């Protein structure tokens, strides 16, 4: 790992250096004669749904031509879809093998069972299976549920589909992240944090070209954390174009069920906490669940959620928004009592923004009273990174330009910064937005500058990944 400044390291040399894929944007050359020449591709980028619907056989050939041209360093007949283009770039950067994939050793049974027990997706597996059973029971397609690392936790399907999936190592305990298996719907949905369909030769590994898969991420509604993905995979021939829409709807259904379960859990905590709060005899206190959602409050204005350290234990704890507190366990959560005998916590002395793990950015704030670490949302990670780079501060218009490329979007920026400031009491100042005076700020960046906040499309972050005049 290395500290900022970021984005000034030379690109690694790969087969794509000085090729269309290595120098965005990709263009296209005229298509060969055929029914697709004046069809779904005549007006620009590849439209996968229209392509496969128009002529599935010729569509598959075209995808092979695109991939072969890119691998050979030539300009493809049509640019690959942006999500595939971005994934292929990642594959070349990590040196993935385009001829084969390797899902690695399966998890040991004990480890697999542990991941199942500790995954919130276990609460909604029945919903996922039931919603997709009509597809997987009547075809060679299978349903897969993975964790946030791409490890297959559950798999369902008919005997024929399961047998075929064994042939490509799509088994329980197998690794299907991009790093392990190349471009595929599971790994690419995890990397892009969005629903993805990968068809035939869009897979980076040639061994997967007879398959099509559609996957959608599932997030924990309690804290926004990525839990994993739900995926339907099967032979490329006969894969229905609407499968991705169905899988996405089922993922949202699972999130809705998790949200309802959480609501019931908060109600149970409230019924336990309310009589305890009544006996406190004054002072400020709040009862929260393990994720910080408020169940009951006394002596202070109610908040929807209290920012909590990554690991919270009973005892005296410095909380960023309240100061020094005494934390006691409750069934299903915590009782947090604000220490009224001491003044509000002093301004912290050091902030470390850790961006070394692209999918888990964190901020650690420390001072004489203690320290705490909190995982960041992608947007909050962007904002803190930009304020760390611009220590003199940024106006709302400048941040809007940095993040959205539009200086008029100041209302959105002010709302987001306000949320960050509530989480980082005493850390951020305003007019202009900046880190408070006297605070030492350090940014721990990724090994490869191209991995800086990989989900971000903010112009300022893109420029940091690809600095003007960089090698």
């Amino acid at each position: 790992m290395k500290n900022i400044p970021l984005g000034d390291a030379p690109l690694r040399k790969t087969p794509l250096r000085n090729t269309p894929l290595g120098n965005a944007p990709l263009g296209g050359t005229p298509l060969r004669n055929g029914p697709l020449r004046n069809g779904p591709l005549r007006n620009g980028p590849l439209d996968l749904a229209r392509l496969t619907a128009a002529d599935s056989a010729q569509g598959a050939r075209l995808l092979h031509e695109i991939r072969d041209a890119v691998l050979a360093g030539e300009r493809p007949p049509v640019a690959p879809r942006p999500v595939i283009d971005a994934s292929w770039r990642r594959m070349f950067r990590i040196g993935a093998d385009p001829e084969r994939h390797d899902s690695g050793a399966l998890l040991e049974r004990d480890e697999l069972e542990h991941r199942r027990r500790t995954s919130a997706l276990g609460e909604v597996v029945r919903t996922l299976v039931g919603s997709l059973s009509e597809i997987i029971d009547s075809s060679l397609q299978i349903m897969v549920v993975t964790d946030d690392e791409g490890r297959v936790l559950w798999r369902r399907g008919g005997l024929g589909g399961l047998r075929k999936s064994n042939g490509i190592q799509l088994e329980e305990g197998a690794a299907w992240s991009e790093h392990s298996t190349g471009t595929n719907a599971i790994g690419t949905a995890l990397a892009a944090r969005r629903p993805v369909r990968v068809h035939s030769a869009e897979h980076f590994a040639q061994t997967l070209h007879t398959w099509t898969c559609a996957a959608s991420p599932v997030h924990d509604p309690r804290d926004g954390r990525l839990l994993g993905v739900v995926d339907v995979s099967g032979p490329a021939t006969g894969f229905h174009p609407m499968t991705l829409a169905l899988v996405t709807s089922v993922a949202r259904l699972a999130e809705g069920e998790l949200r309802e379960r959480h609501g019931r859990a908060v109600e149970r905590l409230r019924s336990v906490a309310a009589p305890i709060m009544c006996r406190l005899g004054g002072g400020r206190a709040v009862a929260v669940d393990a994720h910080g959602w408020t169940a009951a409050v006394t002596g202070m204005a109610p908040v929807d959620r209290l920012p909590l350290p990554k690991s919270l234990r009973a005892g005296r704890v410095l909380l960023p928004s309240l100061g020094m507190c005494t934390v006691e366990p409750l069934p299903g959560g915590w009782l947090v009592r604000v220490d009224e005998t001491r003044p509000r916590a002093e301004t912290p002395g050091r902030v470390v923004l850790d961006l070394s793990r692209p999918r888990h950015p964190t901020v650690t704030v420390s001072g004489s009273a203690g320290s705490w670490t909190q995982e960041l949302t992608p947007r909050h990670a962007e904002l803190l990174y930009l304020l760390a780079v611009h220590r003199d501060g940024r106006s709302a218009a400048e941040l809007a330009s940095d993040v959205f490329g539009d200086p008029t979007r100041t209302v959105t920026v002010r709302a987001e910064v306000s949320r960050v400031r509530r989480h980082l009491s005493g850390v951020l100042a305003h007019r202009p937005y900046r880190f408070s005076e006297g605070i030492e700020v350090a940014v721990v960046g990724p090994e490869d500058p191209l991995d800086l906040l990989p989900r971000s499309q903010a112009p300022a972050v893109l420029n940091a990944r690809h600095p003007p005049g960089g090698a």
Side-chain angles (χ1 to χ4, degrees):
M1 296 188 296
K2 49 188 173 184
N3 294 333
I4 56 171
L6 300 169
D8 56 355
L11 293 173
R12 298 173 181 172
K13 292 185 178 180
T14 71
L16 290 187
R17 191 69 177 274
N18 301 323
T19 70
L21 193 58
N23 295 278
L26 276 173
T29 56
L31 294 173
R32 300 174 182 176
N33 291 331
L36 298 180
R37 180 179 178 85
N38 296 311
L41 304 175
R42 69 181 185 275
N43 292 322
L46 183 68
D47 185 327
L48 181 60
R50 295 172 63 195
L51 171 67
T52 54
D55 187 327
S56 59
Q58 188 175 355
R61 287 195 296 272
L62 176 60
L63 291 177
H64 280 84
E65 289 181 19
I66 294 172
R67 178 179 175 276
D68 291 345
V70 169
L71 291 178
E74 301 171 356
R75 185 169 293 274
V78 180
R81 293 187 294 141
V83 66
I84 301 300
D85 172 30
S87 178
W88 285 356
R89 292 174 187 271
R90 292 191 291 270
M91 296 308 95
F92 273 88
R93 279 169 32 213
I94 67 175
D97 187 348
E99 300 303 318
R100 58 187 297 273
H101 72 284
D102 181 9
S103 299
L106 302 181
L107 292 175
E108 295 290 339
R109 194 69 194 180
D110 289 349
E111 174 64 16
L112 176 61
E113 291 299 332
H114 171 72
R115 294 196 183 204
R116 286 174 170 173
R117 287 193 304 270
T118 56
S119 172
L121 290 175
E123 302 174 27
V124 292
V125 165
R126 291 182 181 274
T127 297
L128 296 172
V129 173
S131 301
L132 295 170
S133 59
E134 188 171 336
I135 289 182
I136 61 180
D137 290 344
S138 60
S139 68
L140 292 177
Q141 297 172 9
I142 67 167
M143 186 208 76
V144 166
V145 179
T146 79
D147 63 14
D148 65 335
E149 295 179 352
R151 286 283 184 174
V152 178
L153 300 184
W154 293 276
R155 183 182 69 157
R156 297 290 188 276
L159 289 178
L162 294 175
R163 190 178 301 114
K164 289 183 71 69
S165 66
N166 288 341
I168 59 168
Q169 301 173 296
L170 188 51
E171 308 171 66
E172 290 177 347
W176 276 74
S177 66
E178 281 192 340
H179 194 276
S180 301
T181 317
T183 302
N184 72 93
I186 293 170
T188 304
L190 287 172
R193 302 294 179 104
R194 52 165 283 193
V196 174
R197 178 188 177 194
V198 179
H199 178 60
S200 184
E202 290 185 315
H203 290 93
F204 192 75
Q206 187 174 10
T207 46
L208 298 176
H209 285 184
T210 59
W211 283 74
T212 292
C213 42
S216 178
V218 181
H219 293 86
D220 192 330
R222 296 169 294 187
D223 56 11
R225 180 169 53 93
L226 177 63
L227 297 174
V229 301
V230 55
D231 165 84
V232 169
S233 295
T237 55
F239 199 92
H240 198 284
M242 292 303 295
T243 301
L244 178 60
L246 176 60
V247 170
T248 303
S249 297
V250 170
R252 300 295 84 77
L253 180 65
E255 291 175 347
E257 182 175 335
L258 288 171
R259 188 174 294 107
E260 290 179 3
R261 287 171 175 264
H262 177 236
R264 293 194 294 270
V266 171
E267 285 298 325
R268 288 194 297 271
L269 176 59
R270 181 174 294 118
S271 67
V272 171
I276 296 175
M277 306 281 274
C278 291
R279 294 195 298 267
L280 290 180
R284 292 183 294 160
V286 58
V288 297
D289 72 358
H291 302 275
W293 290 96
T294 301
V297 63
T298 184
M300 54 189 289
V303 293
D304 290 334
R305 189 179 181 195
L306 180 68
L308 297 178
K310 198 169 185 180
S311 58
L312 182 64
R313 293 178 293 181
R316 291 181 56 77
V317 178
L318 171 65
L319 296 181
S321 58
L322 296 178
M324 290 303 301
C325 298
T326 299
V327 176
E328 303 172 23
L330 290 175
W334 302 96
L335 174 63
V336 179
R337 291 187 293 163
V338 180
D339 188 346
E340 306 289 357
T341 63
R342 296 191 179 191
R344 192 174 179 85
E346 64 186 60
T347 300
R350 178 175 169 81
V351 173
V352 177
L353 180 62
D354 189 348
L355 307 179
S356 62
R357 296 185 302 162
R359 288 165 49 195
H360 299 285
T362 62
V363 61
T364 299
V365 180
S366 57
S368 60
S371 66
W372 52 269
T373 298
Q374 183 176 324
E375 195 160 315
L376 297 167
T377 67
R379 180 68 74 213
H380 291 178
E382 285 176 342
L383 291 170
L384 290 178
Y385 170 74
L386 293 170
L387 294 179
V389 172
H390 299 283
R391 286 305 307 272
D392 291 337
R394 302 293 274 174
S395 67
E398 288 172 327
L399 280 178
S401 182
D402 291 339
V403 174
F404 302 110
D406 180 357
T408 67
R409 295 187 61 176
T410 55
V411 173
T412 303
V413 163
R414 289 191 179 100
E416 288 292 346
V417 176
S418 178
R419 294 187 186 98
V420 178
R421 293 184 69 205
R422 285 201 299 270
H423 286 225
L424 302 178
S425 177
V427 172
L428 295 180
H430 61 101
R431 297 180 183 174
Y433 295 119
R434 66 195 186 281
F435 281 96
S436 300
E437 294 295 330
I439 291 182
E440 178 187 354
V441 180
V443 177
V444 181
E447 291 288 347
D448 188 335
L450 295 178
D451 289 329
L452 174 66
L453 298 171
R455 288 183 285 160
S456 173
Q457 296 300 310
V461 176
L462 296 178
N463 287 337
R465 290 192 209 129
H466 305 278

